[in-house]
Amino acid sequence: MTSPASPMPDAVPAPQRKKLFIRTWGCQMNVYDSTRMADVLAPLGYGPAETPEEADMVILNTCHIREKASEKVFSDLGRLRLLKTEKEQAGQKMVLAVAGCVAQAEGAEITARAPWVDIVLGPQTYHRLPEMVARASRAAGAQIDTDFPVEQKFDLLPEVNANQGPIAFLTIQEGCDKFCSFCVVPYTRGAEFSRPVAAILAEARRLVAGGAREIALLGQNVNAWHGEAPDGATWSLSRLLYALAEIDGLARIRYTTSHPRDMDDALIEAHGRIPQLMPFLHLPVQSGSDKVLAAMNRGHKAELFYRIADRLREARPDMALSSDFIVGHPGESAADHAATMQLVEKVGFALAYSFKYSPRPGTPAAGQPFQVPEAEKDARLQELQAVLRRQQDEFNRACVGREVDILWTGPGRHPGQIAGRTPWLQPVHAIGPAELAGRIARVRLTAAHPNSLSAVLLEEKELTPA
Ligand code: SAH
Ligand code: SF4
Ligand code: F3S
């Protein structure tokens, strides 16, 4: 563990002379954290590197959610060892750090299996990174910090770098107290914490001033957010959404990831009342079987999910839903799987992520009897994914011919093309001027491809100002 208040790194040279490469796995919270780590290291002279080869410091921001995700870290560390040795032979230094949820869960294992790692730090201690870099450049041996410190990292991180582009992420909530049977997040991210209203609104205004037109509010349990307002009252997420909708220039708002248990009436209603709130919600259900939902400790039945889906669509008829599913949770029978298939058919999803249950060390489900055989998990996943893929294709094809607003994010893959997003998050490309980046313009959607839609721009006069 590091001591909380060692001096700032005086051994590190002046601005922008060093290069930092960050590789990010896992959820959008990790993506946000990676930008914050870059922010915290900028005053130490670290600017972005395109590749690990040209970097003076490499950070692997890791994910522990499934076994495969964790394994990738160790194979990457093997490759980086060679690079580090080559650099040392050429008289250069490379600081190697492992951050994120694998660092939190397996800090000791990382330093044992990969002693060439200089820094191991958990998601709650990024504000201590400069101090750790300074120590790593002075001392041999790994610096480990996987504390859940009493001070909040958000209070100690520098202000967010406002220039994130037209679509920005803003973490409003971290951690989870729900302890689903299969999930590592409560152990890697700690207890639920909500950032206060004033800090969130200030960060949102900064992002908008820096060019953001869309903000995605992030949290492991974002709709459980309950932040303190300046007058001492506690706001719920719906109240925060109304306040964000008042910010001039903020055209689109999203929030992710939500839990069905926390979809309260006011939040559902907000979808019908706030035009900036996009008609697309990621709401993981995991299973359609009440027996499995109980075994997962999800705290609700399938019926609640059906009701939420109906009410969201009543509030906002163009609402599209996305979800997460796990097949093969311990104890899942063929009949339970059939209930999941039924839920998918009944609700209909525009997008969904589905996974084979992966036993995670230390979680309750990992030790349960009646683990589902691998071959059975494979078969169930294939069956589920075939239906989800079909629904996604149908949703995308049904969009063809419609006129919709696109938030343009930058150049497309081919010359003369621009790329952007529909209100339902689908990637779109069209022939159009590069200056459209950061603006919203209307198109007619003309074709659906496997991962994107093509479109033609409608009249220029419909462009919104930058
Ligand atoms: N907070 C979100 C999800 C976070 S993890 C929620 O409450 O739903 C993202 C997704 O990974 C989960 O929704 C789940 O579908 C999947 N996942 C989590 N742990 C898993 C495990 N042990 N095996 C397989 N999939 C898992
Ligand atoms: Fe994991 Fe469940 Fe918490 Fe989501 S709600 S982060 S799945 S424990
Ligand atoms: Fe992965 Fe940690 Fe996010 S385990 S999904 S990076 S919270």
Side-chain angles (χ1 to χ4, degrees):
M1 305 280 160
T2 54
S3 66
S6 73
M8 284 300 280
D10 49 11
V12 182
Q16 296 296 309
R17 275 201 265 132
K18 297 197 160 199
K19 293 206 159 200
L20 169 67
F21 182 83
I22 308 183
R23 178 162 290 152
T24 309
W25 288 277
C27 59
Q28 283 161 332
M29 315 245 347
N30 260 14
V31 177
Y32 175 88
D33 281 348
S34 289
T35 63
R36 302 315 311 273
M37 284 191 272
D39 291 347
V40 94
L41 289 171
L44 274 72
Y46 285 95
E50 296 287 320
T51 61
E53 284 72 20
E54 64 178 60
D56 302 285
M57 176 166 181
V58 173
I59 302 177
L60 303 183
N61 193 7
T62 62
C63 174
H64 195 54
I65 202 83
R66 285 169 291 276
E67 195 181 349
K68 257 196 201 148
S70 306
E71 276 171 5
K72 284 183 195 149
V73 179
F74 286 100
S75 52
D76 229 34
L77 283 175
R79 282 192 293 274
L80 288 166
R81 176 192 202 170
L82 299 177
L83 180 61
K84 198 172 172 181
T85 314
E86 273 169 29
K87 286 197 172 221
E88 273 162 9
Q89 283 164 354
Q92 296 161 358
K93 209 170 159 27
M94 187 180 96
V95 178
L96 180 55
V98 182
C101 292
V102 178
Q104 187 65 47
E106 295 182 358
E109 196 182 338
I110 292 168
T111 51
R113 277 176 66 181
W116 56 95
V117 169
D118 301 295
I119 294 173
V120 175
L121 79 165
Q124 306 307 321
T125 56
Y126 294 153
H127 54 286
R128 298 183 186 166
L129 195 49
E131 174 197 327
M132 297 182 81
V133 174
R135 282 164 178 247
S137 45
R138 283 199 297 265
Q143 304 287 313
I144 305 190
D145 193 342
T146 50
D147 262 359
F148 284 110
V150 262
E151 76 261 22
Q152 288 300 341
K153 73 173 180 189
F154 292 109
D155 296 341
L156 295 161
L157 283 168
E159 277 190 336
V160 70
N161 177 351
N163 304 314
Q164 287 190 31
I167 298 182
F169 292 144
L170 198 175
T171 294
I172 65 167
Q173 183 276 336
E174 270 208 299
C176 181
D177 297 335
K178 293 206 164 60
F179 291 93
C180 299
S181 62
F182 50 83
C183 183
V184 293
V185 171
Y187 312 96
T188 61
R189 296 275 174 165
E192 236 174 77
F193 165 75
S194 295
R195 291 179 74 189
V197 171
I200 295 168
L201 293 179
E203 192 165 318
R205 285 193 199 100
R206 275 176 59 77
L207 289 168
V208 172
R213 304 298 315 278
E214 170 173 324
I215 291 183
L217 306 175
L218 302 181
Q220 268 94 18
N221 265 288
V222 75
N223 59 343
W225 176 88
H226 53 284
E228 196 186 327
D231 63 1
T234 300
W235 285 17
S236 63
L237 182 62
S238 50
R239 181 104 193 255
L240 180 68
L241 293 170
Y242 286 105
L244 286 163
E246 304 270 298
I247 298 178
D248 259 356
L250 180 55
R252 292 181 167 193
I253 307 172
R254 305 177 189 277
Y255 60 94
T256 198
T257 293
S258 296
H259 194 296
R261 259 158 73 188
D262 297 313
M263 283 309 296
D264 61 36
D265 292 346
L267 185 53
I268 293 173
E269 208 174 275
H271 280 272
R273 297 198 171 176
I274 304 177
Q276 294 94 323
L277 201 50
M278 288 293 97
F280 178 87
L281 184 69
H282 183 62
L283 190 62
V285 61
Q286 316 298 357
S287 169
S289 151
D290 287 345
K291 187 189 96 196
V292 174
L293 286 169
M296 286 176 163
N297 193 31
R298 293 288 289 179
H300 70 87
K301 297 190 171 170
E303 181 53 33
L304 177 75
F305 194 84
Y306 287 120
R307 217 171 58 228
I308 295 170
D310 286 348
R311 293 186 48 214
L312 280 168
R313 285 167 174 157
E314 271 164 34
R316 179 110 199 211
D318 59 349
M319 190 78 190
L321 289 174
S322 146
S323 200
D324 290 344
F325 295 88
I326 296 178
V327 299
H329 184 274
E332 186 190 73
S333 65
D336 296 320
H337 176 64
T340 301
M341 298 301 296
Q342 194 187 17
L343 181 141
V344 171
E345 289 290 2
K346 272 197 184 163
V347 175
F349 293 94
L351 184 70
Y353 303 90
S354 47
F355 312 98
K356 279 192 288 183
Y357 166 69
S358 166
R360 305 308 290 130
T363 58
Q368 277 171 24
F370 312 118
Q371 298 284 334
V372 176
E374 212 50 32
E376 190 58 44
K377 285 191 213 170
D378 280 328
R380 290 179 192 173
L381 187 67
Q382 273 188 26
E383 189 190 2
L384 175 62
Q385 288 186 338
V387 176
L388 291 170
R389 232 184 346 258
R390 190 198 76 216
Q391 291 189 345
Q392 186 178 340
D393 285 349
E394 282 169 4
F395 178 76
N396 289 340
R397 279 206 309 271
C399 292
V400 174
R402 288 174 74 170
E403 292 184 8
V404 296
D405 286 338
I406 305 298
L407 173 55
W408 301 101
T409 47
R413 241 193 267 152
H414 302 291
Q417 259 189 3
I418 43 167
R421 296 276 175 160
T422 68
W424 305 281
L425 264 186
Q426 298 139 299
V428 171
H429 50 85
I431 300 295
E435 306 80 71
L436 273 180
R439 296 178 183 218
I440 292 172
R442 217 164 165 73
V443 297
R444 176 171 299 113
L445 297 168
T446 51
H449 313 287
N451 299 308
S452 65
L453 297 165
S454 30
V456 288
L457 277 167
L458 297 176
E459 293 174 58
E460 292 268 322
K461 68 176 184 322
E462 294 186 56
L463 303 186
T464 59

